[in-house]
Amino acid sequence: MSSNFHQSITDVPGILVGHAQHEEALTGCTVVLCPKGATAGVDQRGGAPGTRETDLLRPVHLVEKVHAIVLAGGSAFGLDAASGVMRYLEERNIGFDVGVTHVPIVPSAILFDLDVGDPRVRPDATMGYQACLNATTPNTAQGNVGAGMGATVGKILGIKQAMKSGLGTASISIGNGVVVGALVAVNALGDVVDPRSGKILAGARPLQIGPKRIGETEKFANTLFVMRSLVGRSALRFATRRNTVIGVVATNARLNREQITRVAQMAQDGLAQTIRPAHTMLDGDTIFALATGERNADVNIVGAFAAQVMAEAIINAVHFAEPAAGLPTATTW
């Protein structure tokens, strides 16, 4: 492996990543920049998405290239961060040329983190612009950074029984100069598990109600175990749509819009491998995919490894997270 390989989505040539966050309020945003443009696709699963400019990514629509993807906390308020990214790109004449100006194409997705920090502080256009100013390659920051600043997992028994998660990234070289990378903010209802052993790494913690303890083990409640119980069924009825995994996979492969959309779909398998359960009606799981078009590659191979790097990035998101808001992490619990 080249010494210039950093196990980050920025290992994909032409991809830059920048983060901006408010550490006290536990919220932030992350921008994935592709100034030269990239063919893009998206796959959204789960019942509670918060997105912007995803319709234009459908293969039948006009626009061929996007110039950035924004991931942000702040619930729907955080979609405003994309406006700052658009301003940054327009100032540099990057975007879809409409004659009188360039219109940057900046799809985005948000996660709900208002219940862990200060709900009055959300990612906005200023924060999005700052994330662009901070964009670099390489960028290996993980954990409590950017869109992962207020991310949590394992919330079926409420936020007080959850654990702190964060943002993760990973990459792999698949031969012939082709690189596939992933970046993801993990804010799932369910537990994050090791796909090799099936063991829970971070998730819902047991809840003591009087003499009765709700949970499978002393360490983890196990969301699937809780869902089978009366408490779990009641919790789901009153649960709110405060969960989602949002991420980006990128490659320097030469793929058209239909093919890169298939890569986004296959990358969702990384969620299925590592999050239990994934894609519920209470999650808004959304994965974008970017192809910069430098190398020939088989879409099936790219998609297969997109799932692998997405799974690795999810594991990194909980491994590098730091305790916050009174919530422990995979390395401290």
Side-chain angles (χ1 to χ4, degrees), residues 254-306:
R254 188 174 295 115
L255 302 173
N256 61 31
R257 284 196 292 177
E258 290 80 3
Q259 291 172 324
I260 197 61
T261 299
R262 177 61 63 183
V263 170
Q265 294 170 346
M266 295 176 73
Q268 290 272 13
D269 292 341
L271 275 69
Q273 292 175 37
T274 54
I275 297 174
R276 200 168 58 195
H279 309 138
T280 74
M281 288 297 291
L282 302 175
D283 288 280
D285 303 333
T286 302
I287 301 299
F288 297 97
L290 301 171
T292 60
E294 296 181 349
R295 298 277 182 170
N296 291 323
D298 187 300
V299 63
N300 301 291
I301 299 173
V302 174
F305 284 99

Side-chain angles (χ1 to χ4, degrees), residues 17-40:
V17 168
H19 308 288
Q21 59 273 325
H22 192 297
E23 295 186 5
E24 291 76 23
L26 290 176
T27 194
C29 66
T30 295
V31 60
V32 178
L33 289 176
C34 38
K36 294 182 179 180
T39 306

Side-chain angles (χ1 to χ4, degrees), residues 111-254:
L111 57 80
F112 187 96
D113 57 7
L114 301 179
D115 53 356
V116 295
D118 186 342
R120 299 165 298 179
V121 178
R122 306 98 178 222
D124 56 12
T126 299
M127 189 179 287
Y129 192 91
Q130 185 62 49
C132 293
L133 294 177
N134 296 340
T136 60
T137 182
N139 191 319
T140 59
Q142 299 187 83
N144 295 14
V145 64
M149 198 70 201
T152 52
V153 295
K155 288 169 276 189
I156 192 167
L157 294 174
I159 190 65
K160 292 183 179 180
Q161 302 307 121
M163 292 178 66
K164 185 70 182 68
S165 180
L167 180 136
T169 188
S171 65
I172 188 171
S173 174
I174 62 175
N176 195 35
V178 179
V179 179
V180 182
L183 179 144
V184 61
V186 183
N187 193 58
L189 171 75
D191 307 324
V192 175
V193 302
D194 184 334
R196 295 170 291 275
S197 66
K199 293 182 178 180
I200 298 173
L201 301 176
R205 294 173 292 144
L207 175 65
Q208 193 74 31
I209 303 178
K212 187 174 182 180
R213 183 177 57 81
I214 308 301
E216 185 177 36
T217 69
E218 293 291 335
K219 188 169 185 180
F220 294 108
N222 188 335
T223 297
L224 292 183
F225 177 88
V226 175
M227 289 174 107
R228 293 196 298 265
S229 69
L230 177 60
V231 170
R233 291 193 294 272
S234 298
L236 285 175
R237 284 200 298 271
F238 292 102
T240 56
R241 296 167 176 82
R242 299 179 176 182
N243 323 282
T244 190
V245 175
I246 51 176
V248 183
V249 291
T251 180
N252 59 338
R254 188 174 295 115

Side-chain angles (χ1 to χ4, degrees), residues 2-125:
S2 169
S3 59
N4 293 324
F5 211 77
H6 299 88
Q7 299 295 324
S8 163
I9 194 173
T10 55
D11 289 324
V12 177
I15 297 295
L16 297 86
V17 168
H19 308 288
Q21 59 273 325
H22 192 297
E23 295 186 5
E24 291 76 23
L26 290 176
T27 194
C29 66
T30 295
V31 60
V32 178
L33 289 176
C34 38
K36 294 182 179 180
T39 306
V42 66
D43 188 74
Q44 190 282 313
R45 304 186 188 183
T51 58
R52 168 174 166 166
E53 296 279 45
T54 52
D55 280 351
L56 62 77
L57 299 182
R58 294 177 183 175
V60 297
H61 290 173
L62 173 66
V63 174
E64 293 284 345
K65 303 284 187 179
V66 306
H67 308 95
I69 302 290
V70 179
L71 309 179
S75 189
F77 298 108
L79 292 171
D80 188 38
S83 298
V85 177
M86 290 187 68
R87 178 164 65 90
Y88 173 90
L89 292 170
E90 185 189 21
E91 289 174 355
R92 289 154 180 79
N93 294 319
I94 297 172
F96 186 72
D97 189 352
V98 295
V100 295
T101 188
H102 289 79
V103 180
I105 307 301
V106 184
S108 62
I110 50 85
L111 57 80
F112 187 96
D113 57 7
L114 301 179
D115 53 356
V116 295
D118 186 342
R120 299 165 298 179
V121 178
R122 306 98 178 222
D124 56 12

